[in-house]
Amino acid sequence: MSEKVLSISTYTVIFIALLVLTGTTCWVSYLNLGRLNAVVALTIALCKALLVALYFMHLRYSARLTPLVVVTALFWLAILIWLTLSDYLTRALMTSS
Amino acid sequence: MSTRAVHTPLAHHFEDLEHQRSAATFGMWIFLATEILFFGGMFTAYTIYRSLHPLAFAEISQHLDIVLGTVNTAVLIGSSFTMVLAVYGAHTDRRTMLILCLALTLLLGLAFLGIKFTEYYHKFQEHHVPGPFFNYPGPFGREAAMFFSLYFAMTGLHALHMIIGVGILSILIVMSWKGRFTSEYHNPVELSGLYWHFVDIVWIFLYPLLYLIGRHLE
């Protein structure tokens, strides 16, 4: 079988790390960091998502095709958000000139 | 284990179990790619309105219960942990561990839904549900209707996925009870695990976007 499972201790470490990151992001959200608040919150969320995907979903140990699917999906998502925002965020510029 | 001879898990169009397993896993990831874009539309809508009304959204998001939101995040992470232990149990042929961990995942999933519906109930009481009884005093009434519409659409779609996940887990528990899974064949457990972890990841992003950003202004 090419399928991999990791050890219970690895899963436990990831679980504890996820709980610590949740506590951290909750605590940091009360500090006034200005615009950085959103950046910090989303960076921590990205780290948590990576931990879940890489270790709980075994993405790190899967066939090469799987990361390609994930990257492709995220690329489409980036197109969706980027092109839509490039419309909305520039409307004020167009009307004021 | 006597059921293995009777119930053969290998479909006729696959050469062997490994071939079947890799095809099934690949298919599941393709499905999750479509799910990313399904939720992605809502995340895009959220990003647009948050960027258009940053101050209003920061103020309105204070009305969400951060304690319940944080507890729910921990509950869901715990359920992902028990889910991965269930896959481990299936892989190592430990049937008791498999059934126990699936049951724990189911319970934690139900706990998440229970807390979520408590939050919804409070929102109904506070007239924060967009519709005829919506009431949000102050200058941000229209933005509040938009925020809570996004809130209910995003968490509602997520909760729908949780409800489907609870159904899948119930079926898995029955199948494990009947001894359908072995260390050689447990694709349904593994693929349901991928689905469950994906739903967890969606919440991992919903939690900061809805509950945390703007909290420091309180």
Side-chain angles (χ1 to χ4, degrees):
Chain A
M1 300 281 290
S2 72
E3 178 201 358
K4 284 220 173 83
V5 286
L6 311 174
S7 63
I8 294 181
S9 55
T10 309
Y11 292 137
T12 312
V13 168
I14 299 298
F15 171 58
I16 293 169
L18 286 169
L19 287 183
V20 169
L21 283 171
T22 303
T24 310
T25 193
C26 182
W27 171 69
V28 170
S29 69
Y30 283 96
L31 307 177
N32 191 351
L33 305 173
R35 293 183 76 97
L36 273 181
N37 273 97
V39 177
V40 171
L42 287 175
T43 307
I44 292 178
L46 196 64
C47 292
K48 286 163 73 183
L50 273 176
L51 286 179
V52 173
L54 290 178
Y55 295 96
F56 283 0
M57 299 171 89
H58 303 126
L59 190 59
R60 195 177 160 189
Y61 307 93
S62 60
R64 289 225 184 125
L65 207 50
T66 316
L68 184 69
V69 174
V70 177
V71 170
T72 308
L74 293 178
F75 180 66
W76 285 330
L77 180 65
I79 293 174
L80 176 70
I81 294 177
W82 179 57
L83 283 187
T84 316
L85 277 181
S86 69
D87 169 9
Y88 274 91
L89 297 185
T90 50
R91 282 186 189 183
L93 296 174
M94 301 302 285
T95 47
S96 60
S97 58
Chain B
M1 293 298 119
S2 60
T3 50
R4 201 192 303 181
V6 183
H7 183 86
T8 169
L10 180 64
H12 68 90
H13 51 287
F14 290 113
E15 283 165 16
D16 51 34
L17 282 175
E18 175 51 30
H19 182 205
Q20 175 171 289
R21 197 198 69 84
S22 59
T25 310
F26 183 59
M28 191 65 197
W29 279 99
I30 295 281
F31 168 67
L32 293 184
T34 68
E35 287 275 88
I36 288 178
L37 291 166
F38 186 18
F39 279 99
M42 291 205 179
F43 280 105
T44 308
Y46 170 89
T47 310
I48 289 164
Y49 286 104
R50 179 128 209 167
S51 62
L52 289 180
H53 313 285
L55 286 176
F57 268 46
E59 191 212 274
I60 300 154
S61 65
Q62 314 284 331
H63 290 276
L64 297 183
D65 192 327
I66 190 166
V67 176
L68 290 182
T70 310
V71 169
N72 245 356
T73 309
V75 167
L76 207 52
I77 287 171
S79 79
S80 257
F81 179 54
T82 55
M83 187 71 221
V84 84
L85 290 183
V87 175
Y88 179 88
H91 189 79
T92 51
D93 248 337
R94 293 177 212 187
R95 200 171 137 223
T96 319
M97 182 185 183
L98 167 64
I99 295 175
L100 197 70
C101 287
L102 286 176
L104 274 173
T105 311
L106 178 69
L107 281 178
L108 287 167
L110 288 175
F112 178 92
L113 286 170
I115 295 172
K116 195 76 240 159
F117 284 115
T118 311
E119 283 188 78
Y120 279 3
Y121 181 68
H122 291 161
K123 287 279 150 280
F124 272 95
Q125 282 183 322
E126 291 163 6
H127 297 284
H128 283 165
V129 183
F133 302 106
F134 183 76
N135 182 27
Y136 190 90
F140 293 136
R142 288 186 62 204
E143 287 86 349
M146 180 56 76
F147 177 86
F148 285 115
S149 298
L150 285 167
Y151 167 79
F152 280 104
M154 294 170 96
T155 60
L157 186 65
H158 179 265
L160 179 67
H161 279 77
M162 294 287 299
I163 292 167
I164 294 169
V166 163
I168 292 171
L169 282 167
S170 313
I171 296 167
L172 285 182
I173 291 171
V174 174
M175 287 174 84
S176 324
W177 195 267
K178 289 181 176 170
R180 290 285 172 81
F181 304 127
T182 61
S183 58
E184 288 88 36
Y185 174 76
H186 51 272
N187 284 351
V189 182
E190 210 192 323
L191 301 189
S192 309
L194 289 179
Y195 173 83
W196 193 263
H197 297 311
F198 170 79
V199 175
D200 186 19
I201 288 178
V202 171
W203 181 261
I204 282 174
F205 284 102
L206 286 179
Y207 168 63
L209 288 176
L210 294 170
Y211 291 83
L212 295 183
I213 298 174
R215 187 61 61 170
H216 61 280
L217 301 169
E218 193 173 304

